[in-house]
Structure formats: structure tokens, C-alpha cells
Amino acid sequence: CSDKTGTLTKNEMTVQALDGDPELLLTAFLLCNDAKWGKREVIGDPTEAAFLLYADRESEDQKKTDVRDRKKRGRENERWTEKLRREWVRSAAQPFDSERKRMTTVCRRQDRIVSFTKGAPDVILKRCRYEMEEDKIVPLTRERRTEIEAEITRMSARALRVLAGAYRELQTGKMPDGKREKQVGQLEQNLIFLGLAGMMDPPREAAAGAVEAFRRASVRTVMITGDHADTALAIARQLG
């Protein structure tokens, strides 16, 4: 038996695809995220770090266009992730764990309070009642759920690890206490679905050779992973 992530794969996550409004989706994935920038690299879980690297790389062109404004404010070297988190102040969080398969944070921006949730797509989708469609919140119909599930399958078949993002607007004055994790968890209902992110963790170069060596020795190999079954199958096929 072998664990997949970091053993059969490099544990070097990169964002490969976004299905949904990129800015809204990245906002959710960056604010519902514990990774942070150190002096030269991102510190934290590889999956969460991948979103920081992707967002700040994609925002380089935008940063060039507003350099004059940033210099006036003394923030010419500020990353987009840092700017976003400065504007949205976190007040509470329910961390990710293998049983819940999701994470939720509560953030405030001026008078607006929002909970952001990310996690396994099947888990998040079950908790969504609405979705964003052309800047409007609309009911999440059965037909749309079927379409989203089909997209999850397509992305997983490409050996992508798929995460879903969602959010919920909260009433002013009803922001949970940061120490009350159970109260934060109660916000994970009637969510607004934002979309999907597909991430790639490439196989190690030597892993396929090791699997082949075990096969020649008549040893049956078993891969252990918490990923979607289609993602695991795609990786297994790459490893032979």
C-alpha cells in the first residue's frame, strides 16, 4: 500500500483550471485559506499555497496598470492576495478536516459580512441552494446540479483534484465568535455555489518504475487517497 500525495506524486499542487467567475472563485479560495506569503515563498498546505501562487501570478498584469496608485499608498510591492486579505478581515473559521471535507471562514469588509466555504465538490454541492449566474444569484436547479456533477467527472478524469467554492451573505450584527467553531459550521447551509477549481499534482518520475518492478515481482500495489475516485483512477493509469 502507498499513499498517493507526496509519495506517488510530487506534492506540488498547481491550479490548472477554473470553472466559474475567476475573480469571485479566487476570492473564495484565497479568503478560505490559511497559507500565507513568507519572504520568498508561500508557507502552508500545498493545495492552499497553489491558490496564492496562481492568483498572484495571474494578477501581475493588473498590478502593472495600477502601480502609480499603489506607490501613493506605499504598497507598490503588495501582492493581490495580501491586498484582498487586508480588505477582508477574518473573524472566525472552521478548519478543514478529513471527516468534514470542507473549510469555512467568516470575513468582514466594511459593512458586509460573508462566510466562504471550500471543499470536496460533492460535499459543497449538497449544501448549495443557489448559484451565481452572470452576477445574479439564482436557484440551483436539478439540471444545473447534473451539469456541475458532469464537469466534476470530466475534470477528475484528467487527473485533476477538484475543489468547489461557495459563499453566504450574513446579516450585520450576527457575525459568529471566532472561538465558536460549531456556530461557524452552522453557516454551511443554503450556500451560493461559485464554481470549481481543478488542480494537478504530477506523479513522481520514479513512481511508475517502482510500480512496474512490483508488478514483475507479482506484488499487488494499492494506492491510498482521499481524492475523488475518478482522479485516483486517472493517476493510477499514469503510473501503470
Side-chain angles (χ1 to χ4, degrees):
C1 295
S2 174
D3 182 46
K4 178 183 77 66
T5 303
T7 304
L8 296 175
T9 62
K10 295 181 178 181
N11 200 24
E12 297 176 357
M13 284 287 186
T14 58
V15 178
Q16 299 289 315
L18 294 177
D19 185 65
D21 182 287
E23 184 172 351
L24 291 176
L25 198 52
L26 279 175
T27 295
F29 283 128
L30 292 173
L31 294 178
C32 190
N33 190 319
D34 288 329
K36 61 183 180 180
W37 276 101
K39 291 184 178 180
R40 296 184 178 181
E41 61 184 11
V42 180
I43 302 170
D45 175 80
T47 298
E48 295 193 324
F51 285 110
L52 272 67
L53 292 167
Y54 179 86
D56 290 323
R57 184 177 66 249
E58 291 298 306
S59 67
E60 280 301 313
D61 290 339
Q62 179 182 351
K63 289 166 70 175
K64 292 176 183 177
T65 62
D66 65 356
V67 63
R68 183 178 301 176
D69 179 67
R70 288 185 293 105
K71 283 185 177 181
K72 287 181 180 179
R73 298 171 182 269
R75 298 190 176 105
E76 59 268 26
N77 295 319
E78 185 177 51
R79 301 177 188 275
W80 186 62
T81 301
E82 295 169 336
K83 177 177 181 292
L84 186 69
R85 290 177 173 177
R86 175 171 52 80
E87 294 174 347
W88 286 91
V89 180
R90 181 191 294 192
S91 64
Q94 176 78 352
F96 179 91
D97 66 53
S98 58
E99 292 185 4
R100 285 169 29 83
K101 295 186 178 181
R102 60 189 183 277
M103 172 184 178
T104 293
T105 59
V106 178
C107 302
R108 178 195 287 272
R109 182 181 183 183
Q110 297 178 352
D111 294 332
R112 188 181 176 196
I113 303 173
V114 178
S115 66
F116 296 96
T117 302
K118 76 166 188 286
D122 55 330
V123 173
I124 301 301
L125 195 57
K126 289 178 181 178
R127 297 173 180 275
C128 291
R129 187 175 179 182
Y130 309 96
E131 70 171 325
M132 288 296 296
E133 185 179 278
E134 298 181 354
D135 298 328
K136 294 182 180 180
I137 299 173
V138 299
L140 184 58
T141 64
R142 183 178 300 179
E143 291 76 14
R144 275 292 294 145
R145 289 180 187 274
T146 300
E147 292 175 1
I148 294 168
E149 289 168 351
E151 182 60 27
I152 293 170
T153 300
R154 284 192 291 269
M155 295 174 77
S156 299
R158 293 164 51 196
L160 297 180
R161 180 183 183 188
V162 185
L163 292 178
Y167 80 103
R168 176 178 170 181
E169 297 278 354
L170 306 181
Q171 295 181 12
T172 303
K174 292 188 177 182
M175 186 163 54
D177 188 316
K179 297 181 181 179
R180 299 178 182 175
E181 293 185 350
K182 184 177 180 180
Q183 187 179 6
V184 178
Q186 293 174 349
L187 302 177
E188 301 168 337
Q189 303 290 339
N190 300 321
L191 300 177
I192 303 167
F193 183 78
L194 288 174
L196 306 168
M199 316 182 74
M200 173 67 76
D201 182 15
R204 291 183 180 275
E205 289 79 0
V211 171
E212 176 59 26
F214 280 123
R215 180 184 290 109
R216 289 197 300 267
S218 300
V219 176
R220 179 172 175 262
T221 56
V222 178
M223 182 173 68
I224 302 172
T225 179
D227 283 348
H228 190 283
D230 290 331
T231 302
L233 179 60
I235 291 291
R237 285 172 173 165
Q238 291 182 20
L239 294 172

